[in-house]
Amino acid sequence: MTLIKSISGIRGTIGGEVGENLTPIDIVKFTIAYTRFIASKNDAKRLRIVVGRDARISGEMVNDIIEGTLLGCGVDVINVGLCTTPGTEMAVITHKADGGIIITASHNPKQWNALKLLNEKGEFLNAAEGKQVLELAEQEDFLFPDVENIGKVISREDFNPTHIDQVLALNLVDVEKVKARKFKVVVDAVNSIGGVVIPALLRKLGCEVVELNCEPNGLFAHNPEPLPQNLTEISEVIVKEGADLGVVVDPDVDRLALVNEDGTMFGEEYTLVAVADYVLSRTKGNTCSNLSSSRALCDVTMAYGASYAASAVGEVNVVAKMKETGAVIGGEGNGGVIYPELHYGRDALVGVALFLTYLAEMGCKMTELRLRYPAYFASKNKIELTPAIDVDKVLATIKERYAHERVTDIDGVKIDTLPYWVHLRKSNTEPIIRIYTEAKSQEKADEVAEKFIAEIKEICGL
Ligand code: MG
């Protein structure tokens, strides 16, 4: 039973008490606040908002409440129905809408849902804008339009085929080259919308598709976060089917993890690394990812004589940094590929199409391609503290102790040394510190994590 209102939207569990969960009343309040925010930027203009949702069980219920609320606020609605996060973003751009609402709780379990809010460019609202929406949600002086001025539903059309065509039309996607390889691909889409979209994309690329958990019924077949421990089934099927690779996406299809032909993981962190390698081989320009992403992207970028920049965690921060540094490819290490040539949003469809073009061009197996890249190993941990502990002070102490190393403090504290890096971040919602480390061996990454956990405990007197 949780409702998290943050600058990046509202997220909560379905059912229960108002204000404590994502109930119909909370959905209405937040939708009105978002409408007021978009209206404040568009004086008196009649607004058009795109609404899309992933396949989670509560999606239809949340969608109908949002749609009705928007109409009641005098806003016209373009409802794209079951759609991915990147697809809904592209629908905002394509339909020249004033904004968009994506109904998805991404990789969170089935009892969760959320509203992700987009601007007129199909990009997430930034922190200042998100704050304005939160403030507007506290006000109740809204005057609704009369019957002559309520909104109307402009269309209820599936946008996924258009999004697929837009991806395939990209210059760096070579459909014929991929078709010639006749890849056999196993897809695990945890029974969300990726189960429809990814097989459709792959078939247009001439692939033979083996579908695993591809019914968009919202009954997640396993923990929906595409991490190795959740992906045992696909590994077995790839080997049994003699497939070339496996493709795994999260419920809203902005994260992409790849699996090798022998059932081992290509590594979620290496999705972006390989795609960037391909894009940089064809396009001059820089790269960008967040501070918690693998160093491998920086290594690959430097090999092309380009420069790499790191941003604070969060897609909106990565996008801002990409624009600032002129990045031609970027994203998040957790399988999020952002290719500005199409749009500024993490897009697993773009990731699949670019990756397969590259794999076809290289003419090698997945395991062989993976060997091209420096091997780094990550350890992702968290330490639970008591609410009385001043987490900021703990991080400041660590920063001071390691002042002789390369320290970045734009988002928590990141310490970069030659043999390893460690990134310590506090959670905005719980009294915990996340401790991400990366080194050249798993032992070293785990050892560094343990060292910092012990140090934090010592500072806190635990
Ligand atoms: Mg997601």
Side-chain angles (χ1 to χ4, degrees):
M1 292 195 309
T2 322
L3 185 67
I4 301 165
K5 297 175 193 172
S6 77
I7 48 169
S8 51
I10 186 171
R11 180 161 62 98
T13 46
I14 298 299
E17 279 177 56
V18 178
E20 303 286 320
N21 301 274
L22 189 64
T23 70
I25 291 170
D26 295 288
I27 297 165
V28 169
K29 269 175 80 169
F30 208 68
T31 304
I32 296 171
Y34 170 68
T35 306
R36 296 181 76 174
F37 166 75
I38 296 290
S40 71
K41 303 197 301 177
N42 290 279
D43 344 287
K45 183 185 147 203
R46 190 162 175 110
L47 301 176
R48 298 199 310 163
I49 303 287
V50 172
V51 180
R53 63 181 169 95
D54 72 10
R56 58 186 64 234
I57 301 165
S58 61
E60 189 171 11
M61 178 272 280
V62 179
N63 170 79
D64 290 359
I65 293 170
I66 290 175
E67 186 182 279
T69 306
L70 289 171
L71 299 179
C73 290
V75 174
D76 292 338
V77 174
I78 296 165
N79 200 318
V80 292
L82 281 178
C83 197
T84 63
T85 283
T88 310
E89 292 166 359
M90 284 305 295
V92 171
I93 299 169
T94 308
H95 288 292
K96 297 190 172 57
D98 301 295
I101 300 177
I102 309 170
I103 305 161
T104 173
S106 191
H107 59 270
N108 290 285
K110 67 176 182 184
Q111 66 270 31
W112 289 85
N113 214 332
L115 277 62
K116 290 190 188 176
L117 308 176
L118 303 172
N119 64 17
E120 77 286 357
K121 293 182 203 142
E123 296 167 17
F124 289 118
L125 301 191
N126 64 30
E129 294 165 336
K131 195 162 160 263
Q132 281 183 54
V133 175
L134 286 181
E135 284 163 6
L136 287 166
E138 297 304 315
Q139 300 171 14
E140 287 183 354
D141 57 342
F142 192 49
L143 204 59
F144 293 95
D146 62 23
V147 68
E148 307 288 337
N149 292 297
I150 57 172
K152 61 176 190 300
V153 177
I154 295 178
S155 64
R156 286 185 202 280
E157 275 159 35
D158 185 0
F159 190 78
N160 296 311
T162 310
H163 182 209
I164 290 173
D165 289 342
Q166 288 168 332
V167 169
L168 294 175
L170 286 167
N171 264 336
L172 289 194
V173 174
D174 191 333
V175 177
E176 292 313 312
K177 200 177 266 175
V178 178
K179 274 186 177 168
R181 277 286 301 266
K182 296 188 173 68
F183 289 120
K184 184 172 185 181
V185 188
V186 184
V187 178
D188 182 349
V190 280
N191 291 331
S192 189
I193 182 61
V196 177
V197 176
I198 298 292
L201 170 72
L202 289 169
R203 288 189 179 111
K204 284 206 157 189
L205 285 162
C207 301
E208 182 187 342
V209 181
V210 180
E211 297 185 5
L212 195 65
N213 309 320
C214 284
E215 271 293 319
N217 57 19
L219 301 171
F220 300 150
H222 52 76
N223 180 322
E225 191 161 20
L227 298 175
Q229 60 269 33
N230 304 329
L231 305 179
T232 47
E233 194 184 359
I234 191 168
S235 292
E236 287 166 21
V237 176
I238 288 170
V239 175
K240 203 177 86 199
E241 293 279 344
D244 296 292
L245 72 149
V247 167
V248 183
V249 291
D250 72 333
D252 67 322
V253 201
D254 55 2
R255 284 172 67 176
L256 168 66
L258 301 162
V259 188
N260 298 329
E261 78 285 354
D262 63 356
T264 58
M265 297 294 136
F266 190 77
E268 202 187 19
E269 286 287 334
Y270 285 82
T271 306
L272 174 59
V273 174
V275 170
D277 186 17
Y278 172 54
V279 171
L280 291 176
S281 74
R282 296 300 187 85
T283 324
K284 224 175 137 46
N286 300 320
T287 67
C288 175
S289 63
N290 69 36
L291 284 170
S292 274
S293 304
S294 175
R295 191 180 272 178
L297 181 61
C298 180
D299 294 356
V300 165
T301 307
M302 279 162 58
Y304 284 98
S307 59
Y308 163 84
S311 75
V313 173
E315 181 170 322
V316 65
N317 300 315
V318 180
V319 166
K321 196 72 169 177
M322 286 179 72
K323 290 177 178 174
E324 182 192 317
T325 59
V328 291
I329 181 78
E332 297 191 325
N334 61 12
V337 174
I338 301 173
Y339 185 47
E341 192 66 28
L342 188 62
H343 67 135
Y344 277 106
R346 290 180 300 166
D347 191 324
L349 286 79
V350 167
V352 166
L354 289 174
F355 183 85
L356 287 184
T357 303
Y358 192 38
L359 188 64
E361 189 171 296
M362 297 299 285
C364 63
K365 291 181 181 177
M366 291 287 287
T367 43
E368 291 164 351
L369 183 69
R370 180 63 175 74
L371 286 174
R372 279 175 62 87
Y373 304 115
Y376 289 113
F377 297 84
S379 181
K380 298 185 177 182
N381 302 273
K382 63 180 175 189
I383 174 166
E384 292 191 28
L385 307 168
T386 58
I389 291 172
D390 184 344
V391 177
D392 290 314
K393 214 168 143 192
V394 175
L395 294 180
T397 309
I398 297 267
K399 188 182 149 192
E400 222 174 273
R401 285 189 187 178
Y402 288 85
H404 56 286
E405 301 284 4
R406 210 174 100 207
V407 177
T408 315
D409 62 356
I410 54 168
D411 180 10
V413 175
K414 183 172 182 183
I415 301 158
D416 255 298
T417 75
L418 215 51
Y420 70 84
W421 60 253
V422 57
H423 188 198
L424 310 170
R425 290 180 72 227
K426 72 167 185 176
S427 160
N428 287 326
T429 48
E430 306 157 273
I432 62 171
I433 297 180
R434 293 182 203 285
I435 301 149
Y436 288 8
T437 60
E438 189 184 68
K440 284 191 171 151
S441 71
Q442 193 61 55
E443 295 71 34
K444 180 70 183 172
D446 293 338
E447 181 195 310
V448 173
E450 276 166 33
K451 172 178 136 72
F452 278 90
I453 290 170
E455 209 166 319
I456 290 167
K457 281 187 176 166
E458 175 245 306
I459 293 168
C460 297
L462 292 171

